[in-house]
Amino acid sequence: MAGVHVSDAAFGHFLDLPPAQGATGAAGLTGGDAVPLSPAGTGTGTGTRAYLEVSTAAGQVFGAEGVYTNGRHRELSSPRIGSGSREHSAERGHGAGNAPCGIMKDSSKQKQVRKKTVSFSSMPSDRKINSTAACMAFMMEGCEMKKVRSNSRMYNRYFLLDPDMHWLRWEPSKKDSEKAKLEIKGIKEVRLGKKTPVLRSNGLSDQFPDECAFSIIYGDNYESLDLVASTADVVSTWVMGLRYLVSYGRHTVNMVEPSQPSVRTSWIGSVFELADMEKEGHIDLFRATQIIKGLNPGMKESRIELKFKELQKAKDQYGEAINMDTFVEAYCELCTRPEIFFLLMQFSSNKEYLDSKDLMLFVEVEQGVEGVTEDMCWEIVQKFEPSAEGRERGYLSIDGFTHYLLSSECHIFDPQHKRVCQDMSQPLSHYYINSSHNASLLEDHFWGSSDISSYIRALRMGCRSIEVIVWDGPDNEPVVYVGSSVASHLAFSKILDIINQYAFESSEYPLILCLVTHCCIPQQRVMAQHMKKILGDKLAVEPPNKEENYLPSPEKLKGKILIKGKRLPPSCTDAEGDVTDEEEGLEMSRRVGADEKDQLNGLGYKRLRLCKELSDLVSLCKSVQFRDFEVSKREQKYWEICSYNEVDANRFANEFPEEFVSYNKRFLSRVYPTPMRIDASNMNPQDFWKCGCQIVAMNYQTPGLMMDLNLGWFRQNGNCGYVLRPAIMREEVSYFSANARDSLPGVSAQLLHIKVISGQNLPKPRGSAAKGDVVEPYIYVEIHGIPADCAEQRTKTMSQNGDNPIFDESFEFQINLPELAVLRFVVLDDDYIGDEFIGQYTIPFECLQPGYRHVPLQSLTGEFLPNTTLFVHVAITNRRGGGKAHKRGLYVRKGRKAREYTTTKTTGIKVVDELFRASTQPLREATDLRENVQNATVSFKELCGLTPAANMKQCILTVSTWLMNSERSLKVMVDLSESYPTMEAQGPVPELLRKVLNAYDMAKLHDNEREKNFASDLIF
């Protein structure tokens, strides 16, 4: 069978090409071991193999057809309601926990009408910008843009680059033609976005999107030429081309048609030569298509073939033979992602590639990685660069850079969180615990069947709380089945065997086995015997230490299985006794029509006979009935756990938010779905996590938004099933309300800046009702957390582009409780029949990596879609100080009248209240110092032409670029001996640079004052 054989090698992959003749079989990618590279020209027969060394360490490269897709757009109101595919069609809500169509804000259940937007490109669809030569050609051809004056007026002008690439001209203009121009060598900087006072002015700020604006800073006085283009693609082309000219000065026309091949074209040419084993100067269409597909997993064969035919038609060539020029041109057009090429040009100091120093700058400044060395960057080049010449010289070409950005090293998920990274020595009640409800079910509660595999799946997914509902079975053997389904039941002993085998496969931390018993006394004794025999020493049966106040930690309980269930009182000395069945057990009895004659006075509980052997297996998780918070505070023991129907838990969350949070600091709470959810739909776990509830039982068999949130949330601690709750929910002396709608005292609010740049290989939704392969994607960016944080924003729809749609849209979210926030990307197909789900990815806020990142998309059922990603930029700034140095910055300016000062809450204890009342003034002073530092730092960043999301390294880099590009001799002394480096001008400097240095000094001054006050407070 003809095909492309791919296998990992030290520095890349090898492609086993199909023979040149007689290739009639279906081609496909297969994995395997590669044999050594055969020398070129040795293959003479059809059985001879040529191996092409191709570094695809990222495992995927994506095409970039249809670059100019981001243009003017208009909003079209849609009369229809969203179909709910964002939450997946399987997410069916009932009762109090009904799942909404849109994002769940404050547990609201109303559906939202979605606005539809359609993008119309104003650029030719066949325009390809895949090299600096293409940029220069476009700029020489010219285009119309708006020139913005300092009086906020805009004028249409036609801008173009002179053929000698010395001057930028514009016309028509009232000026003499010799004055309506700008010398390239006089340009100091090219800024992308609204980065000058003119473009940030109130009169213009809302008239055009940020991505359609750019500014040219020129002259010794750093004046600005502010421009607005019709699309973001036009802006990218001009910015890329001008930055290139600024870096390398005067170029000849040879730039447009280079006489020497680049490293990239030389490499892809060598790939062609190895494929042309007969040395005929051409290869067949099938073979050429398979090579490009092998180099770019995910690219459609039909797209590759179409590109070859288009290029052949333009050259009046027909037939199945593809020559080298056509092959190289097709590869460059298909496999150059313009957004990555633009990024490479921003950091490149060596034309169309990055050397080790360029890469070090990118990794450290843009990606936020600390301690980067040239050796580390050399290793990146060796790992991801496909060409032997590039690896030898230490160059990372556009293909190697694309491979690197697609690799796990540039994944949005912080790799530190792929292992257990949190403190596991806290009491058990201080953790959220991954929990499954009715784990034996494969479908819904009413018609669903039971199966052992569902237990295995839940345990392998990191579940640390499993529910087992046991009933009387035949032959004195207890069984497990659910609802009215009696066709398939599982022996209790078989369930124990599975639990014993898989309990600690994915996590070594304790497993809580929630027993709901509906068995007679004899079969209860059989249950106890099975548990002792099968689980043995794994059972935690030691009685709790009554001198302690909190449960043991997960670290101390490693490898242990805790039984949650009813326990006889210590006063009971008989072999059996009566206990009250908790509400969940009663609901299960009703579901199967059990006898309710034992129900007492309609109080929601009944009497249950319990044998002592089973009772003694319950130690640290004794089930008790919840009465109220005051009684629990006085009487409840730390090893006692209460279970709540989601309706009751919601009521407590709304009516007693502070008390519920305080209660959960010491005691475990388990929330389970209402029995009204007969379809096994899921409640929103965030509604109960915000109250501190540790165990929120989910129906693992039902995919959807709620399971996405649950599974995404528990990834953050090595998927061990335990996540440490926010400090404000654990500390004894702390105040937190579950319904907080503003910033929280003592918690640093964060600002999350997300730029959705592009998508790659977005598939047609599975089971789509629309015909054809056309995808019109748009993306929702959602924040889930406390009510104050819940928000969502969406991109415009990209018309008929699923291969590499360019969105290039920026969003900003304020996160008041970062430790409880979750970010979710949802990709939908904007089809007239009904919006349909393409993919999603959910990630805890604390796991985000800053910089340029790829986001892998998952299907409805959680599988990762092959070669399907989003390309985004992430920046996190800190409004209130603190946080990780390389991830956090500072953001907004606030005057004294708008500032939020920290206040104290009276406790009713006179001594304590008087002590903290004296701290009011120091707290106000601290707030003023913090805000002053923020304001000064933001001013410094804006004067540098950067956004508030930029970090200080980027600012210093900008200033150094100004100094290096200046024709005058400018010197600035930087003293690194202090913790906060000083910058001082040596001699006269331009006005703008003087303002920048003054703003930096002001930020440093305020920060020093803040540190001195903090130090004095510590001494006090």
Side-chain angles (χ1 to χ4, degrees), residues 306-528:
L306 180 61
K307 176 55 62 180
F308 278 126
K309 291 176 181 178
E310 286 178 358
L311 295 175
Q312 284 183 312
K313 183 177 180 181
K315 300 175 182 179
D316 291 328
Q317 297 173 356
Y318 300 94
E320 296 289 312
I322 305 297
N323 61 30
M324 179 184 289
D325 290 342
T326 303
F327 182 82
V328 172
E329 187 176 356
Y331 177 85
C332 290
E333 290 200 14
L334 288 168
C335 305
T336 302
R337 284 174 50 185
E339 71 276 22
I340 292 183
F341 182 72
F342 177 53
L343 183 61
L344 180 141
M345 294 305 300
Q346 285 183 267
F347 286 86
S348 171
S349 61
N350 290 285
K351 300 184 178 180
E352 293 185 11
Y353 50 80
L354 301 174
D355 62 20
S356 293
K357 291 183 178 179
D358 299 330
L359 187 57
M360 183 168 67
L361 197 64
F362 172 77
V363 174
E364 183 176 12
V365 174
E366 199 62 54
Q367 302 297 82
V369 180
E370 295 181 339
V372 183
T373 64
E374 284 194 47
D375 288 341
M376 292 169 58
C377 294
W378 176 268
E379 291 177 4
I380 291 175
V381 172
Q382 299 305 305
K383 185 176 180 180
F384 297 106
E385 173 56 34
S387 68
E389 180 184 357
R391 292 197 299 273
E392 182 180 341
R393 297 185 179 184
Y395 296 159
L396 195 65
S397 67
I398 178 63
D399 298 294
F401 192 44
T402 303
H403 297 163
Y404 169 63
L405 289 174
L406 281 164
S407 73
S408 59
E409 296 184 28
C410 292
H411 194 290
I412 193 172
F413 191 91
D414 190 338
Q416 293 182 5
H417 291 270
K418 291 183 178 180
R419 59 182 183 274
V420 176
C421 56
Q422 297 178 348
D423 179 11
M424 302 302 289
S425 62
Q426 300 280 331
L428 207 62
S429 59
H430 287 183
Y431 297 85
Y432 296 113
I433 303 173
N434 197 354
S435 177
S436 169
H437 179 250
N438 285 348
S440 63
L441 276 183
L442 293 176
E443 301 168 54
D444 59 61
H445 288 301
F446 193 76
W447 299 108
S449 59
S450 304
D451 189 80
I452 287 180
S453 63
S454 55
Y455 283 98
I456 299 174
R457 178 173 175 269
L459 290 169
R460 282 181 167 170
M461 293 173 74
C463 212
R464 295 289 86 194
S465 176
I466 294 284
E467 183 183 46
V468 180
I469 305 172
V470 191
W471 304 82
D472 285 334
D475 302 324
N476 201 35
E477 277 293 332
V479 296
V480 174
Y481 62 87
V482 181
S484 59
S485 172
V486 295
S488 63
H489 57 258
L490 311 171
F492 179 63
S493 60
K494 295 293 185 182
I495 299 295
L496 293 179
D497 285 333
I498 291 297
I499 291 173
N500 183 58
Q501 182 178 351
Y502 294 96
F504 303 106
E505 181 181 284
S506 298
S507 173
E508 58 185 345
Y509 293 102
L511 173 69
I512 299 175
L513 192 58
C514 301
L515 277 185
V516 180
T517 306
H518 299 284
C519 295
C520 62
I521 293 297
Q523 294 209 18
Q524 287 183 26
R525 292 194 176 98
V526 174
M527 285 176 59

Side-chain angles (χ1 to χ4, degrees), residues 921-937:
Q921 186 58 32
L923 285 172
R924 291 181 64 87
E925 293 174 358
T927 301
D928 288 336
L929 286 171
R930 181 193 64 208
E931 297 292 345
N932 290 341
V933 172
Q934 267 184 223
N935 294 344
T937 307

